[in-house]
Amino acid sequence: MSAPDPGFGIYVHWPFCQAKCPYCDFNSHVVRNVDQVTYARALVRELEHMAMLSDPQAVTSIFFGGGTPSLMKPATVETVLAAIDRLWGINQGVEISLEANPTSVEADKFRALAALGVNRVSLGVQALNDKDLKFLGRLHSVDEALGAIELARTHFGRMSFDLIYARPDQTVEAWTQELTRALSFAVDHLSLYQLTIEEGTPFFDLHARGAFTVPDEDQATMLYDATQSICADAGLNAYEVSNHARVGAECRHNLTYWRYGDYVGVGPGAHGRVPKGGAKCATVTERMPSKWLALVEAQDHGLVDQETITPAQSAEEMMLMGLRLQEGVSLKRYASLSGKPVNADRLSELSGDGLLQQTGDQLKATPAGRLVLNKLLGELLA
Ligand SMILES: C[S@@+](CC[C@H](N)C(=O)[O-])C[C@H]1O[C@@H](n2cnc3c(N)ncnc32)[C@H](O)[C@@H]1O
Ligand code: SF4
């Protein structure tokens, strides 16, 4: 069987939120009265620059991520999509996703976004429990989240939502109940993340001061195992560490990252892997929205770093991304990029430990391996 085509995606970062959640270290900022016309114009200029930089490709997915892209006015989304269409073309069947917060969606906006071609929404529900939503600093209630799910189901062909688990004091029984309830509202895709305490966030300081504790490793493993089996029983396969979908309903845009395809990233703090002269160019833009805007206005782009990735780096990145996927990575592709095969001794050692599994040309992390992916990669690629 030939390897699936990784596709080519365009990522658009909208860095603004109504409030900053205490656990979040994404590039998101609370700014009142964002001038969306100016911002849209800057996104278009940066897209034009990226199109010039990049070898021609057929776009397979577009992803509005954040921050909170559901705070974008439909006219802003329209301007960005029109530019992508002009520069690359948007064929029928291109996946166009947008991340939405339950507090910033209304029927009119969803209707307008769907009419513009957005065909997939990913909602940040986070919990189906009001006490935990409050703990997570979310502005919505369970009722509002369920209303937003309903609305998204009405307007979009495809809909997913995010939940954060492994919260303080969360038992396997409570999570089982909550996840089972969530599955009754799900269509065909769920993103289920374990709460991580990120440095530089309010949760990091609170956690360090002992204001709350998170499940220890054993408890987290039990919660993870319960997640895998409950979703599998419901027909939502864990196609990636934190992502569950029915076959065919996987997020194509994220698959492009994990299958190590090419993508352009625009907006503050966006990363890209841009195809250039047959190689991959890693791009990063300025994170601070005001500085990014000033850079784009001065030079047509907000790039602060741009470097061609060596084949050896590409091989490592491909392994890093691909082992997140249930389908794994092609050992031949790794060898042809890096110029040498994976170290056979390490491979057999890690397979013997039950962390890796090889089927023909495909190398996969086992469920146990996926739980300790960073450590596993460190050992495999040392
Ligand atoms: C870019 S964010 C969210 C989009 C949207 N602004 C929202 O909050 O609904 C993508 C997802 O990452 C997850 N996330 C962010 N920080 C996290 C953390 N520290 N631990 C676990 N999940 C996290 C949340 O589930 C969130 O919905
Ligand atoms: S989790 Fe979402 S809403 Fe909260 S700060 Fe991060 S990006 Fe913004």
Side-chain angles (χ1 to χ4, degrees):
M1 213 171 73
S2 65
D5 178 0
F8 172 66
I10 297 193
Y11 177 78
V12 181
H13 192 75
W14 187 259
F16 307 113
C17 293
Q18 280 173 314
K20 184 83 190 174
C21 305
Y23 54 84
C24 178
D25 80 337
F26 281 80
N27 187 29
S28 57
H29 307 261
V30 179
V31 175
R32 305 276 160 229
N33 305 320
V34 175
D35 178 351
Q36 295 211 13
V37 172
T38 302
Y39 205 83
R41 206 178 297 133
L43 285 169
V44 170
R45 277 172 82 170
E46 193 165 63
L47 281 165
E48 284 165 348
H49 183 81
M50 295 291 189
M52 218 165 55
L53 202 76
S54 150
D55 298 339
Q57 290 267 359
V59 172
T60 49
S61 65
I62 300 167
F63 195 101
F64 291 90
T68 307
S70 51
L71 293 173
M72 292 171 88
K73 291 180 181 160
T76 310
V77 173
E78 185 174 20
T79 304
V80 170
L81 288 177
I84 296 174
D85 192 29
R86 170 168 57 84
L87 295 163
W88 282 275
I90 304 179
N91 292 327
Q92 248 205 327
V94 168
E95 176 188 271
I96 308 180
S97 304
L98 183 135
E99 285 180 341
N101 272 29
T103 35
S104 59
V105 299
E106 326 119 27
D108 281 356
K109 187 180 260 183
F110 268 2
R111 198 175 296 117
L113 290 171
L116 292 173
V118 174
N119 49 30
R120 183 177 182 277
V121 153
S122 171
L123 269 177
V125 169
Q126 320 306 8
L128 288 180
N129 163 336
D130 280 326
K131 185 170 145 273
D132 286 355
L133 282 175
K134 204 160 169 213
F135 166 75
L136 292 170
R138 301 296 289 188
L139 301 176
H140 64 267
S141 63
V142 172
D143 282 351
E144 279 169 308
L146 297 182
I149 292 174
E150 187 60 40
L151 206 59
R153 292 183 66 140
T154 313
H155 290 282
F156 300 98
R158 299 172 62 198
M159 194 274 292
S160 174
F161 59 89
D162 299 350
L163 294 174
I164 297 179
Y165 70 101
R167 300 172 217 137
D169 302 323
Q170 194 171 36
T171 62
V172 172
E173 293 69 31
W175 172 232
T176 299
Q177 264 187 23
E178 194 174 333
L179 180 55
T180 305
R181 185 164 180 229
L183 282 162
S184 72
F185 301 111
V187 180
D188 50 17
H189 192 291
L190 281 182
S191 299
L192 305 168
Y193 302 107
Q194 292 202 30
L195 176 62
T196 49
I197 305 299
E198 306 285 357
E199 216 169 326
T201 62
F203 266 15
F204 189 83
D205 299 332
L206 286 165
H207 182 254
R209 277 194 266 125
F212 67 83
T213 54
V214 287
D216 62 18
E217 213 177 301
D218 287 348
Q219 178 70 4
T221 302
M222 284 197 290
L223 289 162
Y224 175 82
D225 289 344
T227 307
Q228 307 308 302
S229 71
I230 295 165
C231 287
D233 288 349
L236 264 62
N237 177 40
Y239 69 100
E240 190 266 351
V241 178
S242 309
N243 284 277
H244 304 254
R246 264 185 228 296
V247 175
E250 299 87 357
C251 174
R252 268 175 259 153
H253 186 82
N254 287 336
L255 276 179
T256 292
Y257 299 153
W258 297 319
R259 287 178 175 159
Y260 203 45
D262 295 328
Y263 55 96
V264 155
V266 294
H271 289 240
R273 288 290 178 276
V274 177
K276 198 177 168 207
K280 260 187 212 294
C281 177
T283 61
V284 188
T285 59
E286 162 61 43
R287 277 174 72 87
M288 275 306 291
S290 54
K291 284 193 194 161
W292 173 83
L293 201 57
L295 281 177
V296 178
E297 281 172 354
Q299 59 181 32
D300 287 339
H301 65 81
L303 288 169
V304 288
D305 203 6
Q306 190 181 335
E307 58 181 286
T308 304
I309 305 183
T310 64
Q313 281 170 324
S314 283
E316 199 169 318
E317 286 193 340
M318 185 206 74
M319 189 64 88
L320 219 85
M321 300 308 272
L323 283 188
R324 302 186 63 87
L325 285 173
Q326 192 180 55
E327 68 189 28
V329 296
S330 154
L331 285 166
K332 274 197 206 119
R333 189 176 174 207
Y334 176 88
S336 87
L337 279 172
S338 81
K340 57 178 178 10
V342 169
N343 183 306
D345 291 341
R346 279 195 213 111
L347 206 158
S348 80
E349 222 171 90
L350 291 162
S351 303
D353 292 344
L355 301 176
L356 283 176
Q357 187 195 337
Q358 190 183 339
T359 319
D361 178 46
Q362 285 300 109
L363 180 67
K364 302 173 192 184
T366 62
R370 284 208 245 167
L371 257 176
V372 290
L373 205 51
N374 289 341
K375 192 167 153 269
L376 170 65
L377 283 158
E379 287 176 26
L380 185 66
L381 303 174

